[in-house]
């Protein structure tokens, strides 16, 4: 073993020099730290397997990296003398020759020679000064120590002994270098690994299966983990590549306490009592390469409100202390910060339960009392110092004890931190979670109370539900299509305000002429490289024939006796024609100014350069030309398909990893189907709620993970009037499900009774007719109500788990719904508080109301049974969404709904070309709003009304014509009055005067003359 000792000489001299420098600097500044000592002694006795390091042990490890028993070190500002045995002296000889002189005195078997070594050391102490530093609180033992004490007693009256321990802590041990910090970090990761990845799992299993396991048995299992190198290799918090488990050792615990008996001191030990399902405190500390770290956590099993509230208070106190710990802060300020947080909380009485000492220094020593965290310590923190913070409440009375062992309890949290300059400290043990969600375990199967609904005051003009929007009639025939004049006037006034507001917002937002040239975002010129070197050409090019290289997506064409490569992205198309014995292959290339196709926007590096638009090749081999044309066409199709796939997947994001719930069973909903289905197969599975997202697992083991941070909207749609009950998740960014991307993920269960077989019911032979049908209907209603309740509660649990994300459960308002065609099929659209949705039939529709700029109603004119609605988004680069073929009976409710949610709308008789409109807007939004913005939509509907009025006025009669018409009408009425009396004579006159052909011609002429009048009067009647 001795041959393996290797002392790092550079580290030894660097640390010894820094100690001497600090010592000399303190002597120049009134000896505040070293108390004026001119020398000090570090004495190590026989090797004792102590649980903790003392200052003497720490100094040996700090300077040498090893512990040398039976060794004396005498330090002066200018030299170091060491008295030790022969074997140890061999390892120290290599340290000579450094900046600080090193004198090694070797002890042997000659007592007189050994005494002379001590005398030389005493002479050095006396010559240095009258004050000598010693480690007063240490009591080493052994023959070597007895000899030194006897020798030192001769001069003890001539010198003054001063305790040097505080000076060594501050000047040598407290501030760690990078190597020391790396060792502490590895130590902390190993500690938190055992705590979070073994103890928590083991404890959960014990409590869940109600096993009888003592605290001692549990800590023995934790102790044995040090003998399992694979455990540390597989930790989530990765250790350094050269991590050596052989250099791990316990410095504290492990300790597990529960059942009302708690001790938050470092001397606590695990007893033989069984683990109790209540308040469980677990703590442990490991040393790696002599450097220590500690971690402790409190776990609450089925806590009541008071316990949970007290833990939250302790957690806030602990976090406040961590945040306060930085360079330049006095240690007492940390403790006072904790007391201040308690006093300012809702439970100031908890101050009397707070620990008197909240931690101390840590590193080579388990607990450095010089840096003890209490209300009196005035030491100032420095960058590089390491502390363990131990916050705790002791002996708290439980107002609602779950059992006899829960009447009193304690709470504790311990972390190891590193002080940094001008920033919050680094928490080495943050791998063991301490938040409430991670330490509270719930094993009782109690039905959770429904979440209380927040009472929020809303503007009566705002909101998806307006009392006037809900129709009391159920049949379309009973609904009136005539607008209420008062409601229409109110809406018109409100819409004017909204239009003016939109206009002002547009002018403010686009205050300068900014936009896209030609109305589209300018594409970047792409360079395509087929081959980097000549030797990459296909071997067939030597024949100067046309070669289609599918691997390089290139066509190699023979031009002027040389093979010239053309990337497939430069090719527009290829065609083959036959003329006589020859076949002609024409290859068209992309170039500027080709026309008004989609490729007209294709960017070019230099549009003014000369371009080859097409090449034509002639050959007698007709079959080969057919094959080449087909190959080029297929290669072009594949290239376009790849580009499209790449474009489709541009907005797909790779989510972070799902953090699974470890301390309890996750809330889950079983027998669930998902849309879109994985692998296009309809297989049931279950949905689980984890710490930061949802996980769907089907019976084959396939998974879909959805993180809360990627959720934009969460919907719950009950099965009322539907065949399925739905929890629908609308995402911010699409995710991949199978081989397809999806922005909407839906979990549903069928609400029909198809899965229930009632043919074998015993009651069937005793009940007939309506009675049986009535029971089935009642059962169906009960099942549907229970299904809605289950899904709604699960949706609220999702909302609770994601409470920090700022979204909640949204439920569609069926009363405000209307039929329409957003895609291909006619579906039922339903507004919610934040969206307009269609969740029943894929493809789903989810429109966020806050993203809508304006709405426009098209084909609104008399005689049409349907109209269309267009939503224009605030992001003008996003194409408007059309909902077509909405029944005209829904026109007034739709207007009222749009007005109630403060969306400006307009209407017109025609369908507009929205692609051209949006291109005009995106070209220069500033000019668009400067020219009136969306007012052109309202102007269009007004112009239509004025055109009708002009048509009517073209056929108005003058006063004289009106008088003549009135006289003729009176004559006609007189004739009508006598018509019945003179019916026979009139018929005789007609038959005597004109024949039927002449009468028919007259009638046609009269009809033509009265056609306009009839049309005009018809319009007036319609109005």
């Amino acid at each position: 073993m001795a041959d393996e000792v290797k002392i790092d000489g550079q580290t030894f001299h660097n640390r010894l020099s820094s100690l001497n420098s600090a010592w000399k600097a303190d002597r120049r500044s009134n000896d505040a730290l070293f108390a004026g000592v001119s020398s000090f002694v570090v004495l190590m006795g026989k090797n004792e397997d102590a649980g903790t390091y003392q200052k003497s042990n720490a100094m040996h490890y700090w300077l040498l990296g090893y512990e040398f028993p039976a060794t004396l070190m005498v330090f002066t500002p200018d030299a170091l003398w060491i008295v030790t045995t022969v074997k140890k002296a061999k390892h120290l000889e290599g340290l000579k020759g450094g900046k600080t002189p090193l004198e090694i005195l070797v002890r042997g078997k000659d007592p007189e020679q050994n005494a002379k070594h001590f005398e030389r050391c005493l002479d050095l102490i006396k010559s240095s000064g009258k004050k000598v530093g010693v480690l007063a609180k240490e009591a080493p033992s052994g023959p070597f120590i007895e000899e030194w004490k006897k020798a030192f007693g001769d001069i003890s009256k001539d010198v003054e002994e001063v305790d040097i321990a505080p000076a060594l802590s501050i000047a040598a041990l407290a501030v760690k270098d990078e190597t020391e910090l790396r060792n502490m970090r590895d130590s902390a990761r190993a500690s938190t690994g055992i705590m979070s990845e073994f103890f928590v799992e083991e404890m959960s299993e014990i409590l869940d299966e109600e096993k009888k396991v003592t605290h001692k048995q549990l800590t023995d299992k934790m102790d044995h983990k040090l003998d399992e190198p694979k455990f540390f290799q597989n930790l989530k918090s990765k250790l350094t590549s050269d991590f050596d488990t052989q250099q791990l050792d316990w410095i504290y615990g492990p300790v597990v306490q529960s059942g009302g008996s708690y001790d938050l001191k470092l001397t606590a030990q695990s007893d033989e009592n069984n683990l109790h399902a209540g308040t469980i405190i677990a703590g442990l500390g490991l040393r790696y390469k002599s450097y220590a770290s500690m971690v402790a956590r409190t776990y609450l099993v089925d806590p009541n409100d008071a316990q949970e509230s007290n833990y939250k208070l302790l957690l806030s106190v602990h976090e406040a202390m961590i945040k306060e710990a930085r360079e330049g802060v006095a240690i007492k300020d940390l403790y006072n910060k904790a007391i201040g947080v308690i006093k300012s909380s809702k439970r100031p009485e908890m101050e009397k339960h707070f620990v008197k000492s909240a931690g101390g220094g840590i590193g080579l020593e388990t607990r450095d009392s010089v840096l003890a965290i209490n209300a009196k310590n005035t030491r100032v923190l420095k960058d590089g110092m390491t502390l363990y913070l131990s916050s705790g409440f002791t002996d708290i009375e439980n107002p609602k004890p779950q059992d006899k062992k829960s009447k009193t309890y304690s709470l504790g949290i311990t972390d190891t931190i590193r002080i940094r300059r001008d920033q919050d400290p680094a928490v080495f043990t943050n791998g063991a979670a301490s938040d409430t969600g991670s330490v509270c375990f719930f094993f009782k199967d109690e039905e959770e109370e429904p979440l209380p609904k927040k009472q929020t005051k809303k503007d009566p003009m705002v909101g998806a539900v307006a009392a006037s929007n809900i129709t009391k009639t159920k049949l379309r025939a009973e609904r009136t299509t005539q607008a209420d004049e008062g409601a229409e006037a109110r809406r018109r006034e409100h819409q004017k305000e909204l239009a003016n507001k939109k206009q002002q917002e547009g002018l403010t937002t686009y205050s300068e002429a900014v936009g896209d040239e030609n109305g589209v975002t300018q594409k970047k010129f792409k360079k395509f490289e087929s081959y980097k070197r000549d030797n990459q050409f296909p071997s067939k090019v030597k024949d100067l024939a046309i070669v289609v290289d599918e691997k390089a997506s290139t066509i190699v064409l023979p031009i002027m006796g040389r093979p010239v490569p053309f990337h497939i992205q430069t090719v527009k198309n290829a065609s083959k024609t036959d003329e006589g014995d020859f076949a002609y292959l024409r290859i068209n290339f992309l170039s500027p100014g080709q026309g008004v196709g989609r490729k007209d926007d294709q960017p070019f590096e230099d549009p003014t350069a000369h371009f080859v638009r097409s090449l034509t090749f002639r050959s007698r081999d007709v079959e080969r030309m057919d094959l080449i044309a087909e190959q080029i066409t297929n290669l072009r199709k594949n290239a376009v398909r790849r580009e499209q796939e790449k474009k489709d997947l541009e907005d797909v994001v790779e989510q972070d990893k799902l953090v699974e719930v470890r301390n309890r069973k996750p809330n889950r909903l079983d027998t669930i189907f998902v849309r879109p289905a994985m692998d296009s197969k309809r297989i049931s599975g279950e949905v689980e709620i984890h710490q930061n997202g949802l996980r769907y697992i089907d019976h084959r083991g396939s998974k879909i993970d959805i993180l809360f941070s990627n959720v934009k909207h969460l919907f719950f749609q009950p099965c009322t009037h539907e065949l399925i009950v739905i929890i629908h998740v609308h995402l911010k960014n699409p995710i991949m499900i199978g081989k397809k991307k999806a922005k909407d993920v839906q979990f549903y269960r069928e609400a029909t009774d198809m899965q229930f077989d009632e043919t074998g019911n015993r009651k069937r032979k005793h009940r007939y007719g309506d009675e049986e049908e009535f029971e089935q209907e009642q059962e169906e209603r009960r099942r549907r109500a229970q299904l809605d309740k289950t899904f709604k509660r699960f949706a609220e649990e999702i909302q609770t788990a994601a409470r920090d994300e700022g979204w909640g459960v949204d439920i569609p308002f069926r009363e405000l719904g209307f039929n329409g065609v957003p895609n291909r099929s006619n579906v039922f659209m339903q507004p919610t508080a934040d969206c307009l949705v269609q969740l029943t039939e894929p493809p789903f529709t989810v429109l966020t109301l806050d993203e809508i700029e304006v709405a426009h109603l098209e084909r609104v004119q008399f005689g049409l049974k349907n109209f269309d609605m267009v939503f224009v988004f605030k992001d003008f680069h996003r194409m408007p969404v059309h909902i077509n073929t909405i029944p005209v009976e829904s026109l007034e409710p739709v207007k009222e709904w749009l007005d109630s949610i403060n969306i400006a709308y307009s209407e017109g008789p025609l369908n507009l070309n929205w692609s051209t409109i949006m291109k005009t807007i995106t070209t220069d939004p500033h000019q668009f709003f400067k020219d009136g913005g969306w007012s052109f939509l309202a102007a269009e509907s007004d112009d239509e009304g004025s055109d009708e009025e002009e048509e009517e006025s073209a056929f108005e009669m003058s006063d004289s014509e009106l008088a003549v018409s009135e006289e003729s009408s009176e004559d006609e009425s007189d004739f009508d009055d006598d018509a019945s009396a003179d019916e026979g004579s009139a018929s005789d006159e007609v038959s005597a005067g004109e024949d039927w052909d002449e009468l028919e011609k007259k009638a046609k002429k009269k009809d033509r003359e009265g056609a306009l009048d009839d049309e005009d009067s018809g319009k007036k009647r319609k109005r």
Side-chain angles (χ1 to χ4, degrees):
M1 182 71 183
D3 296 336
E4 298 178 4
V5 175
K6 294 181 180 179
I7 301 174
D8 189 336
Q10 184 177 356
T11 301
F12 171 81
H13 287 290
N14 289 342
R15 293 180 178 178
L16 182 59
S17 296
S18 67
L19 173 62
N20 289 336
S21 298
W23 190 359
K24 293 176 182 178
D26 184 65
R27 295 179 72 176
R28 291 192 296 268
S29 58
N30 301 324
D31 294 320
L33 185 60
F34 284 82
V37 299
S38 53
S39 63
F40 65 88
V41 176
V42 175
L43 186 63
M44 177 73 73
K46 66 179 182 180
N47 190 7
E48 295 180 358
D49 190 13
T52 59
Y53 284 179
Q54 295 178 323
K55 279 288 186 297
S56 54
N57 305 79
M59 287 299 296
H60 275 244
Y61 278 107
W62 186 67
L63 286 173
L64 307 173
Y66 298 92
E67 183 182 281
F68 282 12
T71 299
L72 170 68
M73 291 183 176
V74 180
F75 293 81
T76 67
D78 302 313
L80 169 62
W81 286 28
I82 299 178
V83 180
T84 188
T85 60
V86 177
K87 290 183 178 180
K88 301 182 187 75
K90 291 180 180 179
H91 302 298
L92 298 174
E93 284 294 335
L95 301 178
K96 290 184 176 181
K99 183 178 180 181
T100 302
L102 174 64
E103 183 74 22
I104 301 174
L105 305 178
V106 182
R107 284 171 56 83
K109 296 182 179 179
D110 186 356
E112 293 184 1
Q113 187 66 27
N114 294 340
K116 289 182 180 180
H117 292 330
F118 283 155
E119 287 179 7
R120 292 183 62 186
C121 292
L122 294 174
D123 292 338
L124 177 65
I125 293 172
K126 287 190 292 183
S127 62
S128 298
K130 291 187 176 181
K131 286 188 177 182
V132 58
V134 296
L135 298 173
K137 296 182 180 180
E138 295 188 11
S141 59
F144 177 78
I145 301 300
E146 296 301 324
E147 290 182 30
W148 169 251
K149 286 182 178 179
K150 184 178 180 181
F152 187 76
D154 297 338
I155 67 165
S156 58
K157 296 180 180 179
D158 301 330
V159 295
E160 178 185 352
E161 297 182 20
V162 178
D163 187 7
I164 199 66
L168 295 182
S169 291
I170 302 301
L173 305 176
V175 178
K176 312 296 189 297
D177 59 28
E178 188 56 39
T179 302
E180 294 174 293
L181 291 173
R182 189 181 303 112
N183 292 336
M184 290 196 66
R185 197 178 297 114
D186 282 341
S187 169
R189 288 177 178 175
S191 300
T192 55
I194 293 178
M195 177 68 75
S196 60
E197 298 184 37
F198 175 75
F199 172 74
V200 172
E201 298 290 338
E202 192 73 17
M203 178 189 67
S204 301
E205 183 180 346
I206 293 170
L207 297 176
D208 194 20
E209 298 179 7
E210 298 182 356
K211 295 179 181 179
K212 301 295 182 182
V213 178
T214 65
H215 299 146
K216 189 69 170 60
Q217 290 172 337
L218 186 53
T219 54
D220 287 344
K221 289 184 178 181
M222 298 167 69
D223 190 8
H224 294 155
K225 280 295 166 183
L226 294 193
D227 301 326
E228 300 179 17
K230 288 186 178 179
F231 172 79
F232 295 98
Q233 292 173 5
N234 298 327
L235 289 179
K236 291 182 180 178
S237 53
K238 297 297 182 183
L239 301 168
T240 52
S241 57
D242 59 345
F243 185 81
D244 183 8
T245 56
Q246 296 295 323
Q247 300 200 53
L248 277 176
D249 195 12
W250 293 105
I251 54 104
Y252 164 53
V255 180
V256 178
Q257 305 173 74
S258 67
S261 177
Y262 303 97
D263 182 4
L264 301 185
K265 297 178 181 178
L266 295 182
T267 55
Q269 294 183 345
S270 300
D271 55 28
E272 296 292 341
N273 294 326
N274 288 333
L275 186 68
H276 175 255
T279 303
I280 301 172
I281 299 179
L284 58 92
L286 286 175
R287 174 184 288 120
Y288 179 67
K289 292 184 179 179
S290 304
Y291 286 88
S293 67
M294 277 193 288
V295 61
R297 294 290 183 263
T298 300
Y299 299 97
L300 304 174
V301 181
D302 295 317
N304 55 41
D305 292 341
Q307 289 176 306
E308 200 167 347
S309 176
N310 286 334
Y311 182 81
K312 289 180 179 178
L313 175 60
L314 178 63
L315 186 61
S316 64
V317 169
H318 190 72
E319 291 174 347
M321 290 177 63
I322 291 177
K323 194 171 183 179
E324 186 72 13
R326 60 182 62 202
E327 186 178 40
V329 176
I331 292 178
K332 66 176 183 178
D333 292 341
L334 302 186
Y335 191 87
N336 293 334
K337 181 69 175 180
I339 298 299
V341 172
I342 298 173
K343 287 182 177 180
S344 61
S345 69
K346 295 180 180 179
R347 305 176 71 87
E349 67 277 5
M350 295 300 294
E351 181 187 355
K352 63 183 179 183
H353 298 285
F354 193 65
V355 292
K356 302 302 178 186
S357 177
I362 192 170
L364 287 169
E365 295 179 277
T366 304
R367 182 180 185 275
D368 189 350
S369 58
V370 175
L371 300 177
I373 302 174
N374 52 45
K376 298 179 180 179
N377 195 338
T378 58
R379 302 283 182 189
V380 177
L381 298 177
K382 297 180 180 179
D383 180 23
M385 285 185 173
T386 52
L387 308 173
Y388 76 94
L389 292 182
S390 184
S391 309
F393 292 134
T394 59
D395 302 327
I396 310 169
E397 291 187 7
N398 191 352
K400 295 180 181 179
Q402 294 86 340
D403 48 43
K404 293 181 180 179
K405 293 184 177 181
S406 301
K407 291 182 179 179
T408 59
Y409 64 96
S410 298
L411 302 172
I413 305 173
T414 299
D415 278 304
T416 303
I417 67 171
R418 176 245 167 128
I419 307 300
R420 294 190 289 190
R421 182 180 291 110
D422 298 329
Q423 56 181 321
D424 292 342
V427 183
F428 288 158
T429 50
N430 58 2
S434 59
D435 59 282
T436 311
S438 300
V439 302
C440 291
F441 294 74
F442 298 93
F443 293 96
K444 293 182 180 179
D445 297 329
E446 295 181 356
E447 186 174 338
E448 296 185 9
E449 298 180 0
L451 294 174
K453 296 183 179 179
K454 296 182 180 180
Q455 299 293 333
T456 56
K457 296 182 180 180
K458 291 187 176 180
D459 187 346
M461 295 296 295
V462 181
V465 182
S468 59
N469 285 354
I470 303 175
T471 57
K472 297 181 180 180
T473 58
K474 297 182 179 180
L475 303 178
R476 282 186 303 180
E478 298 176 7
R479 300 181 188 174
T480 176
T481 57
Q482 297 296 325
D484 179 49
E485 293 182 1
E488 183 66 28
R490 176 182 57 78
R491 284 202 303 264
R492 194 180 298 113
E493 190 64 29
H494 186 221
Q495 285 299 311
K496 285 182 180 179
E497 296 176 5
L498 292 177
N500 293 333
K501 184 179 178 182
K502 286 292 177 186
Q503 177 68 10
Q504 293 301 322
E505 288 178 357
L507 291 172
T508 304
T509 305
Y510 303 99
S511 58
E512 297 179 1
V514 292
D516 303 326
E517 187 179 346
N518 296 327
V520 294
T521 304
Q522 291 298 297
K523 299 177 182 178
K524 293 183 179 179
F525 174 74
K526 292 183 180 179
K527 288 187 176 181
F528 300 98
E529 191 173 35
S530 298
Y531 308 106
K532 292 184 178 181
R533 295 178 296 276
D534 292 344
N535 58 6
Q536 292 178 338
F537 276 86
S539 57
K540 295 180 181 179
V541 301
K542 296 179 181 178
D543 301 331
L544 289 179
I546 300 175
V547 178
V548 180
D549 187 358
E550 295 184 2
K551 186 177 180 181
S553 298
T554 300
I555 305 167
V556 183
L557 303 176
I559 301 175
M560 306 289 289
R562 293 181 59 85
V564 181
F566 292 87
H567 197 276
I568 193 63
Q569 294 291 351
T570 65
V571 176
K572 185 178 181 182
N573 54 44
S575 61
K576 175 251 178 187
T577 57
D578 296 330
E579 291 184 13
D581 296 336
F582 295 96
Y584 291 85
L585 177 66
R586 180 183 176 90
I587 302 174
N588 297 317
F589 298 94
L590 295 171
S591 59
Q594 286 184 325
V596 288
R598 284 188 299 174
K599 295 299 179 183
D600 193 40
D601 297 331
Q602 179 75 26
F604 292 90
E605 189 173 21
D606 183 9
T608 62
H610 293 281
F611 288 85
V612 177
R613 282 202 170 181
S614 65
L615 291 174
T616 304
F617 295 87
R618 187 181 71 171
S619 173
R620 292 182 181 273
D621 192 346
V622 179
E623 293 182 359
R624 174 168 169 74
M625 285 296 169
D626 278 333
L627 178 62
I628 292 173
E630 184 180 356
Q631 288 177 338
I632 294 174
T633 302
N634 292 336
L635 192 62
R636 180 64 186 159
K637 286 181 180 178
N638 293 335
V640 172
R641 178 177 52 80
R642 285 194 299 269
E643 283 291 318
Q644 186 61 38
E645 289 177 354
K646 185 178 179 181
K647 185 178 180 181
D648 291 342
L649 297 179
E650 279 180 352
D651 55 349
V652 176
V653 297
E654 184 177 352
Q655 299 185 115
D656 295 334
K657 290 185 178 180
L658 186 77
V659 180
E660 299 182 26
V661 172
R662 294 286 186 181
N663 55 357
R664 58 177 172 81
K665 293 180 180 178
N667 295 331
R668 58 168 56 94
L669 199 61
D670 55 6
T671 320
I672 299 298
F673 297 95
V674 65
R675 292 195 293 193
M678 292 183 286
D679 302 329
S680 302
K681 294 181 180 179
R682 187 174 176 272
I683 301 176
S684 65
E686 58 184 24
V687 187
E688 298 177 345
I689 304 176
H690 290 277
Q691 290 188 26
N692 65 335
L694 303 175
R695 168 168 286 173
Y696 175 81
I697 310 175
D698 64 16
H699 295 158
R700 300 172 303 175
S702 300
K703 299 177 182 178
I704 299 176
D705 290 345
I706 302 173
L707 297 190
F708 294 142
S709 58
N710 193 30
V711 174
K712 190 174 183 180
H713 298 292
L714 176 68
F715 302 100
F716 160 67
Q717 180 173 296
C719 56
T720 309
H721 304 292
E722 300 287 353
L723 298 177
I724 56 176
V725 58
I726 294 169
I727 292 178
H728 187 97
V729 181
H730 182 65
L731 306 176
K732 297 176 183 176
N733 299 298
I735 61 174
M736 295 300 296
I737 297 180
K739 297 180 180 179
K740 297 181 179 180
K741 73 172 185 177
K743 201 170 183 179
D744 291 275
V745 182
Q746 187 177 101
F747 307 109
Y748 70 97
R749 188 189 297 175
E750 294 180 350
T752 59
D753 58 351
M754 293 175 61
Q755 64 268 37
F756 296 93
D757 182 15
E758 298 179 352
T759 57
N761 195 339
R762 291 183 185 176
K763 297 179 181 179
R764 188 176 182 84
K765 57 186 176 181
H766 301 295
R767 303 193 177 190
Y768 305 94
D770 295 342
E771 186 178 355
E772 182 182 2
E773 291 181 5
F774 178 73
E775 279 194 2
Q776 290 177 356
E777 290 176 2
Q778 292 281 23
E779 179 66 18
E780 176 75 9
R781 287 195 208 96
R782 188 195 63 78
R783 274 200 303 269
R784 283 176 172 267
Q786 182 60 36
L787 203 55
D788 286 346
K789 183 179 179 181
T790 302
F791 268 66
K792 185 177 182 182
R793 183 170 64 243
F794 191 76
E796 289 171 345
E797 289 172 354
I798 296 175
Q799 175 184 345
T800 303
R803 53 186 171 271
D804 296 333
E805 297 297 331
W807 46 260
V809 181
D810 216 352
I811 302 176
F813 300 111
R814 192 175 183 84
E815 299 86 352
L816 303 180
F818 54 89
N819 288 89
V821 184
N823 292 292
R824 292 183 179 178
S825 56
N826 196 316
V827 293
F828 191 65
M829 306 293 300
Q830 302 179 78
T832 70
D834 300 317
C835 300
L836 176 64
V837 300
Q838 184 282 120
L839 309 177
T840 306
E841 182 179 332
F844 310 114
T845 301
V846 178
L847 301 178
T848 305
L849 300 179
D850 288 341
E851 297 176 356
I852 295 174
E853 175 79 2
V854 294
H856 183 64
L857 310 179
E858 299 180 332
R859 296 195 303 119
V860 179
Q861 55 180 309
F862 183 80
L864 296 181
K865 296 181 179 180
N866 304 298
F867 68 96
D868 305 330
M869 181 161 52
V870 181
F871 289 108
V872 182
F873 297 99
K874 295 177 180 177
D875 179 8
F876 295 149
H877 291 91
R878 184 177 172 185
M879 283 304 296
V881 170
H882 296 250
I883 301 177
N884 301 323
T885 324
I886 304 173
V888 72
E889 290 84 5
S890 301
L891 179 59
E892 291 302 315
V894 166
K895 287 182 180 179
E896 188 65 28
W897 169 65
L898 290 173
D899 190 69
S900 69
I901 57 176
N902 287 344
I903 289 184
Y905 70 86
S906 55
E907 57 183 89
L910 302 174
N911 291 105
L912 304 179
N913 188 344
W914 286 99
S915 59
T916 304
I917 293 173
M918 299 312 297
K919 189 174 182 180
T920 303
I921 296 173
T922 53
T923 302
D924 191 351
H926 171 72
Q927 188 63 38
F928 170 72
F929 282 102
K930 188 176 179 182
D931 293 339
W934 302 108
S935 60
F936 78 95
L937 295 175
E940 181 207 359
S941 58
D942 294 341
D943 292 343
E944 176 64 21
S946 63
D947 291 342
E948 291 181 4
E949 291 177 2
E950 289 175 4
E951 289 178 8
E952 294 171 12
S953 62
F955 297 98
E956 289 181 356
M957 291 182 283
S958 63
D959 294 340
S960 59
E961 290 174 339
L962 182 61
V964 173
S965 64
E966 287 177 354
E967 292 176 2
S968 62
S969 63
E970 290 175 1
D971 295 339
E972 289 172 6
S973 62
D974 293 338
F975 174 78
D976 293 338
D977 292 338
D978 300 333
S980 58
D982 302 333
E983 185 176 358
S985 61
S987 61
D988 292 340
E989 291 176 4
V990 171
S991 61
E994 299 173 348
D995 60 7
W996 284 107
D997 294 333
E998 291 175 350
L999 289 173
E1000 190 173 355
K1001 290 178 181 179
K1002 275 189 174 184
K1004 288 182 178 179
K1005 184 178 181 182
K1006 196 160 185 83
D1007 290 340
R1008 284 195 297 271
E1009 291 174 355
L1012 293 176
D1013 294 334
D1014 291 340
E1015 183 179 348
D1016 184 55
S1017 61
K1019 287 186 178 180
K1020 291 181 178 177
R1021 283 196 299 274
K1022 289 176 183 177
R1023 282 191 296 273

